[in-house]
Amino acid sequence: MSRHYNTVERLDRPSAYYQSKNKRRRYNDRDDEKHEDPTDNLRNATTLYVGNLSFYTTEEQIHELFAKCGEIKRLVMGLDRFQKTPCGFCFVEYYTHQDALDCLKYIGGTKLDERIIRTDLDPGFQEGRQYGRGKSGGQVRDEYREEYDPGRGGYGRSVADQRRREEEEYGKGR
């Protein structure tokens, strides 16, 4: 009896990021309700999470690129919670699940504004998810970035704040 192995990964299954996020959420829930399988949420998903965008990428640039895979129903830019400026992610909603899958296949991993963008199926946009969840209002991943990244505002906010404090202290000691 020979086994048939599929060498191509299914695109409509949850990514490692989505699975770990749901696992954390599952352990943090206090009620004992049974949780649904994350693949159920994505089986007909028409929304994509798009990450690793430059803070300077415009809604028009995103629309132009993502419209190549199908008609876009809605595009929601991720914003810094406090400053209301772009913070490197967005949600793109298509009318059909197949258009979202095509986008994952053809656009995910390509470059936009000199950055390799990440795409992931999303169970659907809900109000409030457009804001960064970091302490400073942006994305958590940008809080502690130690390398300089001009497309994402320079150094991470915590690192930049620490450098500024050190410079102020150095200036006072003179």
Side-chain angles (χ1 to χ4, degrees):
M1 177 186 212
S2 69
R3 290 186 174 212
H4 172 71
Y5 293 98
N6 190 357
T7 57
V8 177
E9 276 192 53
R10 286 183 40 201
L11 294 174
D12 61 348
R13 73 177 207 16
S15 69
Y17 166 76
Y18 184 80
Q19 287 174 332
S20 70
K21 183 174 71 168
N22 273 342
K23 195 177 288 183
R24 284 193 310 271
R25 185 178 298 145
R26 199 172 310 151
Y27 291 123
N28 291 335
D29 284 346
R30 299 269 187 248
D31 54 25
D32 292 330
E33 291 178 23
K34 278 198 165 205
H35 292 277
E36 59 205 40
D37 182 359
T39 52
D40 289 344
N41 291 341
L42 302 177
R43 199 171 312 276
N44 295 310
T46 58
T47 304
L48 294 176
Y49 168 85
V50 181
N52 201 36
L53 294 171
S54 167
F55 290 0
Y56 306 104
T57 300
T58 65
E59 196 170 324
E60 290 78 18
Q61 288 173 288
I62 295 166
H63 195 280
E64 182 181 340
L65 177 62
F66 284 79
K68 294 176 192 283
C69 289
E71 188 177 352
I72 295 173
K73 183 176 185 178
R74 177 168 62 161
L75 194 153
V76 180
M77 294 296 287
L79 300 174
D80 181 292
R81 191 170 4 131
F82 304 122
Q83 298 174 16
K84 306 297 188 257
T85 56
C87 67
F89 70 96
C90 74
F91 296 93
V92 178
E93 184 179 356
Y94 288 99
Y95 284 97
T96 70
H97 178 64
Q98 188 58 53
D99 288 347
L101 290 178
D102 288 345
C103 184
L104 277 177
K105 185 176 181 180
Y106 298 115
I107 294 181
T110 61
K111 275 190 173 185
L112 178 62
D113 262 358
E114 299 302 315
R115 302 188 66 79
I116 296 174
I117 56 174
R118 294 180 335 206
T119 56
D120 207 356
L121 281 176
D122 190 85
F125 174 76
Q126 294 172 345
E127 190 59 39
R129 289 187 64 209
Q130 73 267 38
Y131 299 114
R133 291 180 272 168
K135 288 183 224 169
S136 62
Q139 286 191 325
V140 174
R141 68 179 283 230
D142 289 316
E143 297 280 322
Y144 303 102
R145 183 181 60 253
E146 293 184 12
E147 72 280 354
Y148 185 80
D149 187 344
R152 292 185 74 86
Y155 290 104
R157 293 208 178 148
S158 294
V159 173
D161 290 345
Q162 181 179 350
R163 286 176 184 245
R164 189 172 47 256
R165 283 191 297 274
E166 288 171 358
E167 288 172 3
E168 288 172 0
E169 288 297 316
Y170 180 73
K172 287 180 183 177
R174 286 183 154 195

